[in-house]
Amino acid sequence: MTAPHLVPCSGQREVDDARALLAASDLTLSGLGEAGVHLWLARDDGGAVVATTGYEASEDGHDVLVRSVAVTPGLRGRGLGLGLASWALERAVEAGAARAWLFSRRSGPFWERAGFTPGDRDEMARRLASTHQVRQFVATGQLGREVAWTRRLSGA
């Protein structure tokens, strides 16, 4: 299944609208509206957010941190999440990224299907030190509890 029609979160209203799905999916909410965070969402016919995807780029743009890939429970299991992740990674490649990273303690098999392999958390933190999520995880001590995943991006 391909990704639904995604629109950029271009303002605080869209970011706020995405938060409920992200909270229900137990994903990080902090920093979603920051300038370096690229976030997209899809709505159903009634206007409810049914999917989100996004990333944050490193200062040099060579690395990205995948964030906010979420699908409403009623649409899960159809390959939509993989489509969302691929779509965001294509946008990252278009912006010049060569490697993607993410944090996931629970969804390793999903991310392996998307081409990710276990990564070095400390290397990830160095490469993505300027991103909001890494800064937050370092500041709160959460970084040491996270599991890093990585993959080289095509076209890079």
Side-chain angles (χ1 to χ4, degrees):
M1 176 176 264
T2 59
H5 178 69
L6 295 164
V7 296
C9 288
S10 57
Q12 192 60 47
R13 178 179 174 261
E14 289 90 1
V15 170
D16 290 344
D17 287 349
R19 286 183 191 276
L21 176 58
L22 295 172
S25 301
D26 194 27
L27 295 175
T28 301
L29 303 176
S30 179
L32 293 175
E34 288 203 3
V37 176
H38 304 272
L39 182 64
W40 295 270
L41 58 82
R43 297 180 187 275
D44 64 15
D45 292 338
V49 175
V50 296
T52 60
T53 192
Y55 71 86
E56 281 187 82
S58 62
E59 266 185 26
D60 65 9
H62 293 132
D63 294 89
V64 295
L65 175 62
V66 178
R67 294 191 57 172
S68 309
V69 177
V71 177
T72 193
L75 296 176
R76 291 181 186 158
R78 302 177 189 183
L80 186 55
L82 290 174
L84 291 166
S86 293
W87 191 90
L89 293 173
E90 289 169 11
R91 305 295 76 75
V93 168
E94 290 169 1
R99 179 160 294 280
W101 299 83
L102 61 93
F103 293 114
S104 181
R105 290 176 286 185
R106 299 180 310 268
S107 301
F110 170 85
W111 290 110
E112 285 175 333
R113 287 192 305 276
F116 283 80
T117 59
D120 182 300
R121 180 181 53 226
D122 294 328
E123 179 184 1
M124 176 186 182
R126 280 190 304 276
R127 288 177 175 240
L128 294 159
S130 64
T131 63
H132 177 85
Q133 192 169 11
V134 168
R135 288 191 329 262
Q136 177 193 20
F137 284 6
V138 168
T140 62
Q142 185 173 338
L143 183 66
R145 296 187 304 271
E146 293 298 329
V147 177
W149 296 84
T150 189
R151 81 168 245 204
R152 183 153 174 74
L153 296 175
S154 62

